[in-house]
Amino acid sequence: MKELDKNPIKVANREALIGVYLVVFHFIWWFAFAYGLGKKDPSEYQYILGFPAWFFYSCIAGIIIMSILVFIIVKFFFTDLPFDDEEFEQS
């Protein structure tokens, strides 16, 4: 077991930072598409599945991408931590 995995506080801090990075990435994704593609005149919008492209990429595709990213991060980078007091005291 790695040294980082032995201390639950370090694991929790690392996982919290990963969560913050995901939120920042999602905000940048959303902002870039919503305000980048949404600046045009509405008569010049391109449409995807009936939605303006800026809305489709920022809201619909963004949620799908973030859901996949969160699944991958939780599955492969997060660690199960015990919530029993006895196991914390032994660490």
Side-chain angles (χ1 to χ4, degrees), residues 7-88:
N7 188 341
I9 301 298
K10 288 184 180 181
V11 172
N13 286 337
R14 178 181 60 95
E15 291 176 359
L17 278 176
I18 291 171
V20 169
Y21 295 145
L22 284 171
V23 168
V24 168
F25 173 75
H26 186 228
F27 179 76
I28 291 170
W29 174 283
W30 175 84
F31 191 86
F33 280 109
Y35 288 99
L37 295 176
K39 285 184 178 179
K40 298 179 185 176
D41 185 279
S43 63
E44 299 175 8
Y45 285 167
Q46 292 179 337
Y47 291 87
I48 301 172
L49 299 174
F51 297 103
W54 66 266
F55 181 84
F56 179 81
Y57 289 122
S58 66
C59 295
I60 298 171
I63 290 296
I64 294 169
I65 296 290
M66 287 307 299
S67 297
I68 293 168
L69 277 176
V70 167
F71 175 79
I72 290 169
I73 295 293
V74 169
K75 182 81 174 164
F76 296 107
F77 295 101
F78 279 22
T79 305
D80 268 350
L81 293 177
F83 290 111
D84 297 339
D85 289 337
E86 295 171 5
E87 291 187 36
F88 278 132

